[in-house]
Every structure is written in structure tokens, then in C-alpha cells.
């Protein structure tokens, strides 16, 4: 696996083997989805020896800007070649891309889900057992992701508002830039508990433990989707990868990382 930095962009080649001539499949995605995208890329390459999956990471806002600039200047390239699929970090982002016609209509595929969970250091003996307990225990400091910078933060705010916890926690919230920051804060004593997505908690399972899952009715469903870029240069290959994300093999890969699997929906084929 190799990483190249070009013009401030991170382009990561999933393949661990030698560079060989063959089809490149480039996915532009959110850095928060690095683990599942890399895992899916490796699994796809195992059954497609002639395909090399590459990943390009940008935040949701930067990704929209990049695609908009490409469409404005008519050059749909990342680095020196075209890209095929987009995998932003939230449903709201991909919906906006669809409205702007940045992605090909009818190609959206939900491939993974996540839930908000309450986590504490693994060594903490007395821990809250529910989100409601955060309001009752005025001594608890709660680390959360900044709602202004990520989908996780936005949904966390929605959860706290929906459970009427915002006012009770207003002087006890410890705001971090991302989920890694939340986990770092609780592990170093800056906060007592944290709210993150369950795949993040699973990734740090040797250092933190989950004490409660957020009620599904208290916030929007967290579903990750992928779609073809409007000018995808190889639609059959893109469709093949999108179909792969719906397969039992892909679901197994994602479950190993702590993700859930969305309910399958019939999607209209690409035009």
C-alpha cells in the first residue's frame, strides 16, 4: 500500500502488490471512512486482479469544491487521471451532490450504517449506563464532536436536542474536532464520557468500552452511500464495484470493522 502527496491531495493506492498495468478505479471519499473504504478496496482487488483501487481523501466541503471545479473547467481528473466513485461521509452531502448533478442519477448505493454510542475508558469502574443518566449526574463531563465540522457532530447535536439533554449539558460539553479527539479527551481525563459512532468505539475497543447505544428514534439514521461521478469513465466497472458493496462478502468485511448493514433497496440502473 502506498501513499503519494501531490498538490496537497492524498492519493492512496490500496493494492499492496507491485504496480502493474491494469484498470484503475479511483474513489474520492471522506477521511472518516478510510478504514471501510480501504477494506472494501482490498476485498474487491482480491477477485479482480486486473483492477487497482485508489482512494482520494477530502472533507465533504472540499470534495464538493473539487468536483465543482472539475465540472467548471471540464477536466474530471484527480492527479493525472479520471475518478470514478464518490463516497462522502454523510447522506446529506451525497444528496447535495445529486442535486447539483455531481453524481450520476440512480447510482447511489447505501453500503454501511453506524450508530451513536456512549463510551468510557475501559478502566472506569463506575460508569453511566444510559444517555439519560448524563443529565442526572451533574459531575460528568461529556466529550462530543463539533457539530460545525462533521456529520457525526451534527447528528450528535440532533441526539442531544431530541433527548432534551442540551440544556443540562451546556456547561459540561467538551467539544473535539473529530471522533479521535473525543476518544483522546476521555482517555486523558479531559472528559469522563464521550459520544462517538460505534465503529470508532470498536476500533478502540482495547481502550474504551461502550456503555449505551443511542435510541434510534432520537436522531437521523446514519447511512453511508457511494455513487458514480457524473462523468465516470468506466460505468460497467463502477457498477460492478457498487454491486460488490451490496454483497455478503462486503457486508462481512464491514461488520468486522463495527459497521452495520443497511436494508437493501432496489436502485434504478445507471443511465
Amino acid at each position: 500500500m502506498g501513499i503519494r502527496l501531490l498538490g496537497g491531495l492524498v492519493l492512496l493506492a490500496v493494492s499492496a502488490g507491485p504496480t502493474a498495468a491494469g484498470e484503475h478505479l479511483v474513489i474520492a471519499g471522506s477521511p472518516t471512512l478510510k478504514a471501510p473504504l480501504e477494506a472494501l478496496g482490498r476485498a474487491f482487488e482480491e477477485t479482480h486482479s486486473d483492477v487497482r483501487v485508489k482512494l482520494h481523501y477530502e472533507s465533504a466541503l472540499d470534495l464538493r469544491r473539487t468536483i465543482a471545479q472539475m465540472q467548471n473547467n471540464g477536466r474530471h481528473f484527480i492527479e493525472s487521471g479520471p475518478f470514478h466513485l464518490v463516497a462522502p461521509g454523510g447522506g446529506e452531502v451525497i444528496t447535495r451532490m445529486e442535486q447539483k448533478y455531481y453524481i450520476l442519477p440512480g447510482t447511489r448505493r447505501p453500503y454501511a450504517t453506524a450508530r451513536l454510542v456512549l463510551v468510557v475508558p475501559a478502566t472506569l469502574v463506575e460508569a453511566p449506563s444510559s444517555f439519560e443518566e448524563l443529565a442526572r449526574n451533574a459531575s460528568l463531563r461529556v466529550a462530543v464532536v463539533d457539530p460545525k465540522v462533521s456529520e457525526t457532530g451534527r447528528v450528535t447535536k440532533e441526539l442531544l436536542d431530541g433527548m432534551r439533554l442540551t440544556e443540562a449539558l451546556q456547561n459540561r460539553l467538551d467539544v473535539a474536532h473529530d471522533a479521535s479527539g473525543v476518544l483522546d479527551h476521555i482517555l486523558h481525563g479531559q472528559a469522563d464520557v464521550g459520544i462517538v459512532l460505534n465503529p470508532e468505539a470498536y476500533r478502540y475497543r482495547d481502550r474504551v468500552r461502550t456503555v449505551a447505544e443511542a435510541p434510534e428514534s432520537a436522531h437521523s439514521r446514519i447511512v453511508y452511500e457511494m455513487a458514480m461521478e457524473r462523468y465516470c469513465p468506466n460505468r460497467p466497472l463502477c457498477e460492478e464495484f457498487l454491486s460488490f458493496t451490496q454483497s455478503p462478502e462486503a457486508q462481512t468485511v464491514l461488520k468486522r470493522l463495527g459497521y452495520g448493514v443497511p436494508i437493501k433497496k432496489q436502485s434504478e440502473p445507471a443511465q
Side-chain angles (χ1 to χ4, degrees):
M1 183 181 297
I3 299 176
R4 286 180 285 170
L5 300 176
L6 292 140
L9 304 182
V10 178
L11 192 63
L12 185 147
V14 172
S15 177
T19 302
E23 185 79 32
H24 281 183
L25 177 70
V26 181
I27 304 173
S30 166
T32 61
L33 296 172
K34 183 174 184 289
L37 291 178
E38 285 184 16
L40 288 173
R42 284 192 295 267
F44 187 76
E45 286 185 343
E46 287 178 1
T47 56
H48 297 75
S49 59
D50 58 335
V51 177
R52 191 163 183 240
V53 178
K54 292 185 176 182
L55 300 173
H56 165 81
Y57 297 113
E58 284 192 2
S59 68
L61 178 59
D62 289 339
L63 185 56
R64 290 203 303 270
R65 287 173 176 168
T66 296
I67 295 175
Q69 290 171 357
M70 289 176 178
Q71 298 204 350
N72 287 337
N73 62 29
R75 184 177 173 82
H76 296 258
F77 282 12
I78 287 178
E79 194 205 4
S80 60
F83 73 107
H84 302 74
L85 301 168
V86 292
E92 181 182 0
V93 178
I94 204 166
T95 295
R96 290 180 181 178
M97 287 183 173
E98 188 173 45
Q99 292 169 346
K100 293 285 188 179
Y101 200 24
Y102 293 163
I103 62 175
L104 201 61
T107 64
R108 290 173 63 166
R109 298 291 187 278
Y111 64 93
T113 64
R115 293 187 62 179
L116 289 173
V117 295
L118 191 64
V119 295
V120 299
T123 56
L124 186 65
V125 177
E126 296 184 6
S129 58
S130 68
F131 281 83
E132 291 83 357
E133 199 170 331
L134 298 179
R136 296 193 292 267
N137 189 339
S139 67
L140 291 174
R141 297 163 298 167
V142 184
V144 297
V145 177
D146 190 342
K148 297 178 182 178
V149 300
S150 81
E151 183 77 1
T152 300
R154 184 192 68 78
V155 178
T156 299
K157 183 179 185 303
E158 185 180 310
L159 168 71
L160 297 179
D161 290 343
M163 296 189 69
R164 300 185 178 181
L165 295 173
T166 303
E167 184 175 350
L169 298 177
Q170 63 180 348
N171 296 319
R172 294 189 278 128
L173 288 180
D174 177 71
V175 181
H177 182 74
D178 54 23
S180 295
V182 169
L183 296 167
D184 183 71
H185 289 188
I186 68 170
L187 290 172
H188 291 87
Q190 190 170 324
D192 302 297
V193 300
I195 301 175
V196 295
L197 296 175
N198 55 333
E200 290 294 332
Y202 183 80
R203 187 159 66 95
Y204 283 81
R205 62 191 180 279
D206 59 331
R207 304 180 67 189
V208 303
R209 75 176 191 274
T210 298
V211 294
E213 288 189 343
E216 290 186 350
S217 59
H219 64 80
S220 304
R221 290 185 69 235
I222 303 169
V223 180
Y224 300 110
E225 296 180 86
M226 197 178 299
M228 285 190 211
E229 198 271 337
R230 179 180 173 184
Y231 296 102
C232 173
N234 187 335
R235 293 188 185 181
L237 176 61
C238 291
E239 182 58 46
E240 192 170 353
F241 188 89
L242 291 174
S243 296
F244 170 74
T245 67
Q246 313 294 294
S247 69
E249 293 80 7
Q251 293 173 3
T252 298
V253 167
L254 294 167
K255 287 177 180 178
R256 287 173 181 165
L257 297 173
Y259 287 88
V261 177
I263 298 174
K264 290 187 178 181
K265 296 180 180 180
Q266 291 292 333
S267 300
E268 70 176 91
Q271 302 298 316

PDB file of all heavy atoms in Angstrom, residues 119-121 141-146 173-196 204 207-208:
ATOM      1  N   VAL A 119     -19.360   6.078  25.300  1.00  0.00           N
ATOM      2  CA  VAL A 119     -18.171   5.303  25.648  1.00  0.00           C
ATOM      3  C   VAL A 119     -17.455   5.912  26.846  1.00  0.00           C
ATOM      4  O   VAL A 119     -17.548   7.121  27.118  1.00  0.00           O
ATOM      5  CB  VAL A 119     -17.177   5.221  24.464  1.00  0.00           C
ATOM      6  CG1 VAL A 119     -17.784   4.457  23.316  1.00  0.00           C
ATOM      7  CG2 VAL A 119     -16.731   6.602  24.018  1.00  0.00           C
ATOM      8  N   VAL A 120     -16.739   5.054  27.570  1.00  0.00           N
ATOM      9  CA  VAL A 120     -15.945   5.466  28.730  1.00  0.00           C
ATOM     10  C   VAL A 120     -14.611   4.730  28.657  1.00  0.00           C
ATOM     11  O   VAL A 120     -14.480   3.727  27.944  1.00  0.00           O
ATOM     12  CB  VAL A 120     -16.660   5.123  30.058  1.00  0.00           C
ATOM     13  CG1 VAL A 120     -18.000   5.834  30.158  1.00  0.00           C
ATOM     14  CG2 VAL A 120     -16.839   3.608  30.192  1.00  0.00           C
ATOM     15  N   PRO A 121     -13.605   5.195  29.390  1.00  0.00           N
ATOM     16  CA  PRO A 121     -12.347   4.434  29.436  1.00  0.00           C
ATOM     17  C   PRO A 121     -12.597   3.022  29.946  1.00  0.00           C
ATOM     18  O   PRO A 121     -13.434   2.803  30.826  1.00  0.00           O
ATOM     19  CB  PRO A 121     -11.495   5.243  30.416  1.00  0.00           C
ATOM     20  CG  PRO A 121     -12.043   6.628  30.354  1.00  0.00           C
ATOM     21  CD  PRO A 121     -13.520   6.467  30.151  1.00  0.00           C
ATOM     22  N   ARG A 141     -18.440  15.085  32.654  1.00  0.00           N
ATOM     23  CA  ARG A 141     -18.041  15.921  31.515  1.00  0.00           C
ATOM     24  C   ARG A 141     -18.144  15.061  30.263  1.00  0.00           C
ATOM     25  O   ARG A 141     -17.633  13.939  30.225  1.00  0.00           O
ATOM     26  CB  ARG A 141     -16.618  16.431  31.689  1.00  0.00           C
ATOM     27  CG  ARG A 141     -16.416  17.339  32.911  1.00  0.00           C
ATOM     28  CD  ARG A 141     -14.946  17.447  33.247  1.00  0.00           C
ATOM     29  NE  ARG A 141     -14.388  16.134  33.593  1.00  0.00           N
ATOM     30  CZ  ARG A 141     -13.081  15.890  33.693  1.00  0.00           C
ATOM     31  NH1 ARG A 141     -12.202  16.868  33.470  1.00  0.00           N
ATOM     32  NH2 ARG A 141     -12.644  14.683  34.018  1.00  0.00           N
ATOM     33  N   VAL A 142     -18.796  15.599  29.235  1.00  0.00           N
ATOM     34  CA  VAL A 142     -19.135  14.804  28.052  1.00  0.00           C
ATOM     35  C   VAL A 142     -18.398  15.338  26.826  1.00  0.00           C
ATOM     36  O   VAL A 142     -18.579  16.499  26.438  1.00  0.00           O
ATOM     37  CB  VAL A 142     -20.657  14.835  27.800  1.00  0.00           C
ATOM     38  CG1 VAL A 142     -21.010  13.930  26.617  1.00  0.00           C
ATOM     39  CG2 VAL A 142     -21.419  14.421  29.056  1.00  0.00           C
ATOM     40  N   ALA A 143     -17.585  14.505  26.217  1.00  0.00           N
ATOM     41  CA  ALA A 143     -16.854  14.881  25.001  1.00  0.00           C
ATOM     42  C   ALA A 143     -17.703  14.560  23.775  1.00  0.00           C
ATOM     43  O   ALA A 143     -18.254  13.463  23.667  1.00  0.00           O
ATOM     44  CB  ALA A 143     -15.520  14.151  24.930  1.00  0.00           C
ATOM     45  N   VAL A 144     -17.806  15.519  22.858  1.00  0.00           N
ATOM     46  CA  VAL A 144     -18.585  15.348  21.632  1.00  0.00           C
ATOM     47  C   VAL A 144     -17.804  15.923  20.451  1.00  0.00           C
ATOM     48  O   VAL A 144     -16.894  16.733  20.623  1.00  0.00           O
ATOM     49  CB  VAL A 144     -19.960  16.058  21.719  1.00  0.00           C
ATOM     50  CG1 VAL A 144     -20.823  15.444  22.814  1.00  0.00           C
ATOM     51  CG2 VAL A 144     -19.785  17.558  21.946  1.00  0.00           C
ATOM     52  N   VAL A 145     -18.196  15.515  19.260  1.00  0.00           N
ATOM     53  CA  VAL A 145     -17.593  16.057  18.042  1.00  0.00           C
ATOM     54  C   VAL A 145     -18.270  17.381  17.707  1.00  0.00           C
ATOM     55  O   VAL A 145     -19.484  17.530  17.857  1.00  0.00           O
ATOM     56  CB  VAL A 145     -17.746  15.072  16.873  1.00  0.00           C
ATOM     57  CG1 VAL A 145     -17.185  15.668  15.577  1.00  0.00           C
ATOM     58  CG2 VAL A 145     -17.052  13.756  17.193  1.00  0.00           C
ATOM     59  N   ASP A 146     -17.497  18.339  17.253  1.00  0.00           N
ATOM     60  CA  ASP A 146     -18.004  19.660  16.892  1.00  0.00           C
ATOM     61  C   ASP A 146     -19.057  19.539  15.789  1.00  0.00           C
ATOM     62  O   ASP A 146     -18.761  19.044  14.697  1.00  0.00           O
ATOM     63  CB  ASP A 146     -16.837  20.535  16.413  1.00  0.00           C
ATOM     64  CG  ASP A 146     -17.229  21.995  16.235  1.00  0.00           C
ATOM     65  OD1 ASP A 146     -18.428  22.300  16.143  1.00  0.00           O
ATOM     66  OD2 ASP A 146     -16.306  22.842  16.191  1.00  0.00           O
ATOM     67  N   LEU A 173     -20.060  20.226  28.205  1.00  0.00           N
ATOM     68  CA  LEU A 173     -19.648  19.641  26.941  1.00  0.00           C
ATOM     69  C   LEU A 173     -18.197  19.976  26.629  1.00  0.00           C
ATOM     70  O   LEU A 173     -17.768  21.126  26.756  1.00  0.00           O
ATOM     71  CB  LEU A 173     -20.537  20.133  25.795  1.00  0.00           C
ATOM     72  CG  LEU A 173     -21.971  19.588  25.745  1.00  0.00           C
ATOM     73  CD1 LEU A 173     -22.709  20.174  24.558  1.00  0.00           C
ATOM     74  CD2 LEU A 173     -21.973  18.062  25.684  1.00  0.00           C
ATOM     75  N   ASP A 174     -17.455  18.978  26.242  1.00  0.00           N
ATOM     76  CA  ASP A 174     -16.069  19.140  25.818  1.00  0.00           C
ATOM     77  C   ASP A 174     -16.051  18.859  24.312  1.00  0.00           C
ATOM     78  O   ASP A 174     -16.229  17.720  23.892  1.00  0.00           O
ATOM     79  CB  ASP A 174     -15.178  18.143  26.566  1.00  0.00           C
ATOM     80  CG  ASP A 174     -13.739  18.212  26.101  1.00  0.00           C
ATOM     81  OD1 ASP A 174     -13.070  19.207  26.410  1.00  0.00           O
ATOM     82  OD2 ASP A 174     -13.292  17.263  25.425  1.00  0.00           O
ATOM     83  N   VAL A 175     -15.873  19.901  23.516  1.00  0.00           N
ATOM     84  CA  VAL A 175     -16.016  19.780  22.066  1.00  0.00           C
ATOM     85  C   VAL A 175     -14.670  19.473  21.416  1.00  0.00           C
ATOM     86  O   VAL A 175     -13.699  20.207  21.593  1.00  0.00           O
ATOM     87  CB  VAL A 175     -16.610  21.064  21.462  1.00  0.00           C
ATOM     88  CG1 VAL A 175     -16.767  20.921  19.956  1.00  0.00           C
ATOM     89  CG2 VAL A 175     -17.959  21.374  22.107  1.00  0.00           C
ATOM     90  N   ALA A 176     -14.641  18.379  20.656  1.00  0.00           N
ATOM     91  CA  ALA A 176     -13.430  17.963  19.948  1.00  0.00           C
ATOM     92  C   ALA A 176     -13.644  18.103  18.447  1.00  0.00           C
ATOM     93  O   ALA A 176     -14.778  18.164  17.968  1.00  0.00           O
ATOM     94  CB  ALA A 176     -13.081  16.520  20.304  1.00  0.00           C
ATOM     95  N   HIS A 177     -12.553  18.126  17.704  1.00  0.00           N
ATOM     96  CA  HIS A 177     -12.646  18.313  16.264  1.00  0.00           C
ATOM     97  C   HIS A 177     -13.210  17.076  15.567  1.00  0.00           C
ATOM     98  O   HIS A 177     -13.938  17.187  14.579  1.00  0.00           O
ATOM     99  CB  HIS A 177     -11.268  18.636  15.686  1.00  0.00           C
ATOM    100  CG  HIS A 177     -11.274  18.890  14.207  1.00  0.00           C
ATOM    101  ND1 HIS A 177     -11.766  20.055  13.657  1.00  0.00           N
ATOM    102  CD2 HIS A 177     -10.877  18.106  13.161  1.00  0.00           C
ATOM    103  CE1 HIS A 177     -11.659  19.992  12.333  1.00  0.00           C
ATOM    104  NE2 HIS A 177     -11.132  18.825  12.004  1.00  0.00           N
ATOM    105  N   ASP A 178     -12.893  15.892  16.086  1.00  0.00           N
ATOM    106  CA  ASP A 178     -13.351  14.656  15.460  1.00  0.00           C
ATOM    107  C   ASP A 178     -13.446  13.553  16.503  1.00  0.00           C
ATOM    108  O   ASP A 178     -13.192  13.782  17.695  1.00  0.00           O
ATOM    109  CB  ASP A 178     -12.434  14.237  14.313  1.00  0.00           C
ATOM    110  CG  ASP A 178     -10.966  14.144  14.737  1.00  0.00           C
ATOM    111  OD1 ASP A 178     -10.698  13.969  15.945  1.00  0.00           O
ATOM    112  OD2 ASP A 178     -10.094  14.243  13.861  1.00  0.00           O
ATOM    113  N   ALA A 179     -13.816  12.357  16.059  1.00  0.00           N
ATOM    114  CA  ALA A 179     -14.003  11.235  16.984  1.00  0.00           C
ATOM    115  C   ALA A 179     -12.704  10.857  17.681  1.00  0.00           C
ATOM    116  O   ALA A 179     -12.711  10.501  18.861  1.00  0.00           O
ATOM    117  CB  ALA A 179     -14.569  10.035  16.244  1.00  0.00           C
ATOM    118  N   SER A 180     -11.594  10.945  16.970  1.00  0.00           N
ATOM    119  CA  SER A 180     -10.300  10.635  17.598  1.00  0.00           C
ATOM    120  C   SER A 180     -10.027  11.592  18.741  1.00  0.00           C
ATOM    121  O   SER A 180      -9.486  11.207  19.781  1.00  0.00           O
ATOM    122  CB  SER A 180      -9.179  10.711  16.557  1.00  0.00           C
ATOM    123  OG  SER A 180      -9.332   9.709  15.578  1.00  0.00           O
ATOM    124  N   GLY A 181     -10.419  12.853  18.553  1.00  0.00           N
ATOM    125  CA  GLY A 181     -10.260  13.837  19.614  1.00  0.00           C
ATOM    126  C   GLY A 181     -11.128  13.524  20.823  1.00  0.00           C
ATOM    127  O   GLY A 181     -10.703  13.673  21.967  1.00  0.00           O
ATOM    128  N   VAL A 182     -12.361  13.078  20.570  1.00  0.00           N
ATOM    129  CA  VAL A 182     -13.255  12.687  21.673  1.00  0.00           C
ATOM    130  C   VAL A 182     -12.627  11.566  22.484  1.00  0.00           C
ATOM    131  O   VAL A 182     -12.570  11.612  23.722  1.00  0.00           O
ATOM    132  CB  VAL A 182     -14.628  12.239  21.112  1.00  0.00           C
ATOM    133  CG1 VAL A 182     -15.462  11.565  22.211  1.00  0.00           C
ATOM    134  CG2 VAL A 182     -15.383  13.428  20.543  1.00  0.00           C
ATOM    135  N   LEU A 183     -12.140  10.539  21.801  1.00  0.00           N
ATOM    136  CA  LEU A 183     -11.545   9.403  22.494  1.00  0.00           C
ATOM    137  C   LEU A 183     -10.274   9.806  23.239  1.00  0.00           C
ATOM    138  O   LEU A 183     -10.026   9.353  24.354  1.00  0.00           O
ATOM    139  CB  LEU A 183     -11.259   8.285  21.492  1.00  0.00           C
ATOM    140  CG  LEU A 183     -12.522   7.698  20.837  1.00  0.00           C
ATOM    141  CD1 LEU A 183     -12.157   6.825  19.647  1.00  0.00           C
ATOM    142  CD2 LEU A 183     -13.351   6.918  21.839  1.00  0.00           C
ATOM    143  N   ASP A 184      -9.500  10.680  22.634  1.00  0.00           N
ATOM    144  CA  ASP A 184      -8.283  11.162  23.287  1.00  0.00           C
ATOM    145  C   ASP A 184      -8.628  11.923  24.561  1.00  0.00           C
ATOM    146  O   ASP A 184      -7.953  11.777  25.595  1.00  0.00           O
ATOM    147  CB  ASP A 184      -7.500  12.059  22.322  1.00  0.00           C
ATOM    148  CG  ASP A 184      -6.190  12.540  22.925  1.00  0.00           C
ATOM    149  OD1 ASP A 184      -5.274  11.715  23.083  1.00  0.00           O
ATOM    150  OD2 ASP A 184      -6.085  13.750  23.241  1.00  0.00           O
ATOM    151  N   HIS A 185      -9.681  12.720  24.515  1.00  0.00           N
ATOM    152  CA  HIS A 185     -10.073  13.513  25.683  1.00  0.00           C
ATOM    153  C   HIS A 185     -10.533  12.644  26.844  1.00  0.00           C
ATOM    154  O   HIS A 185     -10.208  12.926  28.004  1.00  0.00           O
ATOM    155  CB  HIS A 185     -11.172  14.497  25.289  1.00  0.00           C
ATOM    156  CG  HIS A 185     -10.689  15.617  24.418  1.00  0.00           C
ATOM    157  ND1 HIS A 185     -11.481  16.688  24.081  1.00  0.00           N
ATOM    158  CD2 HIS A 185      -9.488  15.838  23.826  1.00  0.00           C
ATOM    159  CE1 HIS A 185     -10.798  17.515  23.297  1.00  0.00           C
ATOM    160  NE2 HIS A 185      -9.593  17.011  23.125  1.00  0.00           N
ATOM    161  N   ILE A 186     -11.287  11.581  26.555  1.00  0.00           N
ATOM    162  CA  ILE A 186     -11.736  10.753  27.675  1.00  0.00           C
ATOM    163  C   ILE A 186     -10.600   9.874  28.210  1.00  0.00           C
ATOM    164  O   ILE A 186     -10.568   9.546  29.398  1.00  0.00           O
ATOM    165  CB  ILE A 186     -12.975   9.903  27.317  1.00  0.00           C
ATOM    166  CG1 ILE A 186     -12.637   8.825  26.285  1.00  0.00           C
ATOM    167  CG2 ILE A 186     -14.109  10.774  26.825  1.00  0.00           C
ATOM    168  CD1 ILE A 186     -13.763   7.818  26.081  1.00  0.00           C
ATOM    169  N   LEU A 187      -9.669   9.516  27.343  1.00  0.00           N
ATOM    170  CA  LEU A 187      -8.558   8.671  27.790  1.00  0.00           C
ATOM    171  C   LEU A 187      -7.515   9.444  28.587  1.00  0.00           C
ATOM    172  O   LEU A 187      -6.751   8.857  29.351  1.00  0.00           O
ATOM    173  CB  LEU A 187      -7.895   8.002  26.579  1.00  0.00           C
ATOM    174  CG  LEU A 187      -8.731   6.923  25.879  1.00  0.00           C
ATOM    175  CD1 LEU A 187      -8.069   6.474  24.597  1.00  0.00           C
ATOM    176  CD2 LEU A 187      -8.957   5.728  26.813  1.00  0.00           C
ATOM    177  N   HIS A 188      -7.497  10.767  28.430  1.00  0.00           N
ATOM    178  CA  HIS A 188      -6.528  11.592  29.142  1.00  0.00           C
ATOM    179  C   HIS A 188      -7.167  12.468  30.204  1.00  0.00           C
ATOM    180  O   HIS A 188      -6.554  13.409  30.706  1.00  0.00           O
ATOM    181  CB  HIS A 188      -5.737  12.450  28.153  1.00  0.00           C
ATOM    182  CG  HIS A 188      -4.802  11.659  27.284  1.00  0.00           C
ATOM    183  ND1 HIS A 188      -5.212  11.086  26.090  1.00  0.00           N
ATOM    184  CD2 HIS A 188      -3.501  11.314  27.449  1.00  0.00           C
ATOM    185  CE1 HIS A 188      -4.185  10.433  25.554  1.00  0.00           C
ATOM    186  NE2 HIS A 188      -3.148  10.541  26.345  1.00  0.00           N
ATOM    187  N   GLY A 189      -8.429  12.166  30.547  1.00  0.00           N
ATOM    188  CA  GLY A 189      -9.061  12.822  31.682  1.00  0.00           C
ATOM    189  C   GLY A 189      -9.659  14.176  31.425  1.00  0.00           C
ATOM    190  O   GLY A 189     -10.137  14.829  32.357  1.00  0.00           O
ATOM    191  N   GLN A 190      -9.677  14.618  30.189  1.00  0.00           N
ATOM    192  CA  GLN A 190     -10.270  15.913  29.886  1.00  0.00           C
ATOM    193  C   GLN A 190     -11.800  15.831  29.932  1.00  0.00           C
ATOM    194  O   GLN A 190     -12.478  16.828  30.135  1.00  0.00           O
ATOM    195  CB  GLN A 190      -9.802  16.396  28.511  1.00  0.00           C
ATOM    196  CG  GLN A 190     -10.158  17.833  28.192  1.00  0.00           C
ATOM    197  CD  GLN A 190      -9.456  18.325  26.940  1.00  0.00           C
ATOM    198  OE1 GLN A 190      -8.313  17.955  26.681  1.00  0.00           O
ATOM    199  NE2 GLN A 190     -10.131  19.168  26.171  1.00  0.00           N
ATOM    200  N   ALA A 191     -12.329  14.635  29.725  1.00  0.00           N
ATOM    201  CA  ALA A 191     -13.764  14.377  29.826  1.00  0.00           C
ATOM    202  C   ALA A 191     -13.952  13.002  30.445  1.00  0.00           C
ATOM    203  O   ALA A 191     -13.026  12.175  30.466  1.00  0.00           O
ATOM    204  CB  ALA A 191     -14.431  14.447  28.455  1.00  0.00           C
ATOM    205  N   ASP A 192     -15.156  12.754  30.964  1.00  0.00           N
ATOM    206  CA  ASP A 192     -15.434  11.478  31.624  1.00  0.00           C
ATOM    207  C   ASP A 192     -16.031  10.452  30.664  1.00  0.00           C
ATOM    208  O   ASP A 192     -15.740   9.252  30.758  1.00  0.00           O
ATOM    209  CB  ASP A 192     -16.398  11.701  32.791  1.00  0.00           C
ATOM    210  CG  ASP A 192     -15.846  12.692  33.790  1.00  0.00           C
ATOM    211  OD1 ASP A 192     -14.798  12.407  34.388  1.00  0.00           O
ATOM    212  OD2 ASP A 192     -16.464  13.774  33.954  1.00  0.00           O
ATOM    213  N   VAL A 193     -16.898  10.928  29.783  1.00  0.00           N
ATOM    214  CA  VAL A 193     -17.559  10.054  28.815  1.00  0.00           C
ATOM    215  C   VAL A 193     -17.524  10.729  27.454  1.00  0.00           C
ATOM    216  O   VAL A 193     -17.302  11.940  27.349  1.00  0.00           O
ATOM    217  CB  VAL A 193     -19.020   9.754  29.214  1.00  0.00           C
ATOM    218  CG1 VAL A 193     -19.084   9.064  30.570  1.00  0.00           C
ATOM    219  CG2 VAL A 193     -19.841  11.041  29.233  1.00  0.00           C
ATOM    220  N   GLY A 194     -17.748   9.953  26.416  1.00  0.00           N
ATOM    221  CA  GLY A 194     -17.755  10.517  25.072  1.00  0.00           C
ATOM    222  C   GLY A 194     -18.856   9.916  24.228  1.00  0.00           C
ATOM    223  O   GLY A 194     -19.332   8.808  24.502  1.00  0.00           O
ATOM    224  N   ILE A 195     -19.247  10.667  23.209  1.00  0.00           N
ATOM    225  CA  ILE A 195     -20.257  10.181  22.263  1.00  0.00           C
ATOM    226  C   ILE A 195     -19.602  10.088  20.894  1.00  0.00           C
ATOM    227  O   ILE A 195     -19.138  11.090  20.341  1.00  0.00           O
ATOM    228  CB  ILE A 195     -21.475  11.129  22.205  1.00  0.00           C
ATOM    229  CG1 ILE A 195     -22.125  11.256  23.589  1.00  0.00           C
ATOM    230  CG2 ILE A 195     -22.498  10.611  21.194  1.00  0.00           C
ATOM    231  CD1 ILE A 195     -23.264  12.265  23.648  1.00  0.00           C
ATOM    232  N   VAL A 196     -19.544   8.867  20.359  1.00  0.00           N
ATOM    233  CA  VAL A 196     -18.938   8.623  19.047  1.00  0.00           C
ATOM    234  C   VAL A 196     -19.782   7.607  18.293  1.00  0.00           C
ATOM    235  O   VAL A 196     -20.751   7.063  18.823  1.00  0.00           O
ATOM    236  CB  VAL A 196     -17.488   8.096  19.182  1.00  0.00           C
ATOM    237  CG1 VAL A 196     -16.580   9.133  19.812  1.00  0.00           C
ATOM    238  CG2 VAL A 196     -17.453   6.790  19.988  1.00  0.00           C
ATOM    239  N   TYR A 204     -11.272   1.223  18.943  1.00  0.00           N
ATOM    240  CA  TYR A 204     -10.518   1.475  20.178  1.00  0.00           C
ATOM    241  C   TYR A 204     -10.984   0.546  21.302  1.00  0.00           C
ATOM    242  O   TYR A 204     -10.855   0.879  22.483  1.00  0.00           O
ATOM    243  CB  TYR A 204     -10.693   2.929  20.619  1.00  0.00           C
ATOM    244  CG  TYR A 204      -9.882   3.919  19.824  1.00  0.00           C
ATOM    245  CD1 TYR A 204     -10.316   4.366  18.585  1.00  0.00           C
ATOM    246  CD2 TYR A 204      -8.671   4.421  20.311  1.00  0.00           C
ATOM    247  CE1 TYR A 204      -9.579   5.284  17.843  1.00  0.00           C
ATOM    248  CE2 TYR A 204      -7.927   5.331  19.584  1.00  0.00           C
ATOM    249  CZ  TYR A 204      -8.382   5.754  18.357  1.00  0.00           C
ATOM    250  OH  TYR A 204      -7.646   6.666  17.621  1.00  0.00           O
ATOM    251  N   ARG A 207      -9.247  -0.018  24.578  1.00  0.00           N
ATOM    252  CA  ARG A 207      -9.008   1.107  25.481  1.00  0.00           C
ATOM    253  C   ARG A 207     -10.292   1.747  26.000  1.00  0.00           C
ATOM    254  O   ARG A 207     -10.273   2.433  27.026  1.00  0.00           O
ATOM    255  CB  ARG A 207      -8.155   2.169  24.780  1.00  0.00           C
ATOM    256  CG  ARG A 207      -6.821   1.618  24.256  1.00  0.00           C
ATOM    257  CD  ARG A 207      -6.007   2.692  23.581  1.00  0.00           C
ATOM    258  NE  ARG A 207      -5.558   3.695  24.531  1.00  0.00           N
ATOM    259  CZ  ARG A 207      -4.977   4.839  24.181  1.00  0.00           C
ATOM    260  NH1 ARG A 207      -4.798   5.121  22.898  1.00  0.00           N
ATOM    261  NH2 ARG A 207      -4.586   5.701  25.094  1.00  0.00           N
ATOM    262  N   VAL A 208     -11.395   1.568  25.282  1.00  0.00           N
ATOM    263  CA  VAL A 208     -12.671   2.120  25.739  1.00  0.00           C
ATOM    264  C   VAL A 208     -13.735   1.034  25.669  1.00  0.00           C
ATOM    265  O   VAL A 208     -13.572   0.037  24.962  1.00  0.00           O
ATOM    266  CB  VAL A 208     -13.118   3.336  24.892  1.00  0.00           C
ATOM    267  CG1 VAL A 208     -12.058   4.428  24.899  1.00  0.00           C
ATOM    268  CG2 VAL A 208     -13.449   2.911  23.464  1.00  0.00           C
TER     269      VAL A 208
END
